[in-house]
Amino acid sequence: MFTGIIESVGVVKALQPTGGDIRLTIDAPTLDFSDVALGDSIASNGICLTVVAVNHQSYSVDVSRETIARTALNELKSGSMVNLEKAMLPTTRFGGHIVAGHVDGVGVVKQRQQDARSIYFEIEIPSDLARFTATKGSITVDGISLTTNLVKGNIVCLNIIPHTAQVTNIDKHWQVGSLVNIEVDIVARYLERLLNKDALVSAPQSKISESFLAENGFLK
């Protein structure tokens, strides 16, 4: 579980094909690795990936074909900047929103322009994800917890303040045409599932009713 508050920006050191998968190695000299162990999770551009090798300034992860197909990972190359966040602790300040690190789809930057000191973006997301977005709601883009200014169909409008642009890969990477990883609000995703009666039709019905509770002394 993550918060979408980026801790560091790493640089892709290597992408090594390994039997159809990829082993990705990222240099991150400013990330604190003192509490990172093999098997821990680090969100890399919003993708929750398991650490398979680590030293004091870099780590490696194995990326499956499923992850490659569903994310913008193919856009990465040696030297690419990557947003990084270690899995949250119970004591972590919850500054963003609930982020699972499970990418729902890939978006495309359609517009970028200066808006006073911030940068205004319009990002086109897959049409089937649009129903999970809302004006002034939360969305995760390349692992960054962001607030949507406005939603127009499947276009998400964002304003990025200077601090966020500077401490992430936004300033250099997000150009018109760039592909970005999208994760919708997990709460919206579950609400849609609960409200979809067709999806729940095969769910087993509970045998616990008000009469059952009364008969067994739970109600007085």
Side-chain angles (χ1 to χ4, degrees), residues 69-87:
R70 290 183 174 270
T71 68
L73 191 139
N74 273 326
E75 293 292 298
L76 298 181
K77 57 184 181 294
S78 181
S80 293
M81 299 173 64
V82 182
N83 297 320
L84 306 177
E85 181 189 359
K86 296 184 292 185

Side-chain angles (χ1 to χ4, degrees), residues 106 124-133 153-155:
V106 176
E124 182 180 34
I125 66 173
S127 297
D128 61 339
L129 298 182
R131 66 183 183 277
F132 299 112
T133 61
N154 66 329
I155 299 293

Side-chain angles (χ1 to χ4, degrees), residues 6 11 13 33 39 65 74 82 84 96 113 139 154 190 216:
I6 302 304
V11 177
K13 181 179 180 181
F33 285 102
R65 286 187 293 178
N74 273 326
V82 182
L84 306 177
Q113 65 185 51
I139 193 168
N154 66 329
Y190 279 112
N216 289 274

Side-chain angles (χ1 to χ4, degrees), residues 56-159:
H56 66 284
Q57 67 173 16
S58 68
Y59 69 98
S60 296
V61 293
D62 285 332
V63 186
S64 69
R65 286 187 293 178
E66 168 74 6
T67 300
I68 295 168
R70 290 183 174 270
T71 68
L73 191 139
N74 273 326
E75 293 292 298
L76 298 181
K77 57 184 181 294
S78 181
S80 293
M81 299 173 64
V82 182
N83 297 320
L84 306 177
E85 181 189 359
K86 296 184 292 185
M88 67 182 295
L89 300 171
T91 54
T92 302
R93 178 174 290 151
F94 207 154
H97 72 283
I98 299 173
V99 176
H102 303 156
V103 173
D104 293 299
V106 176
V108 182
V109 177
K110 305 299 285 186
Q111 184 174 341
R112 170 178 174 151
Q113 65 185 51
Q114 204 66 32
D115 183 7
R117 292 192 307 118
S118 66
I119 310 174
Y120 172 80
F121 286 96
E122 290 189 1
I123 297 178
E124 182 180 34
I125 66 173
S127 297
D128 61 339
L129 298 182
R131 66 183 183 277
F132 299 112
T133 61
T135 298
K136 301 306 178 185
S138 296
I139 193 168
T140 307
V141 185
D142 270 358
I144 311 165
S145 173
L146 297 171
T147 300
T148 57
N149 286 350
L150 180 67
V151 177
K152 302 185 294 186
N154 66 329
I155 299 293
V156 175
C157 306
L158 307 165
N159 265 78

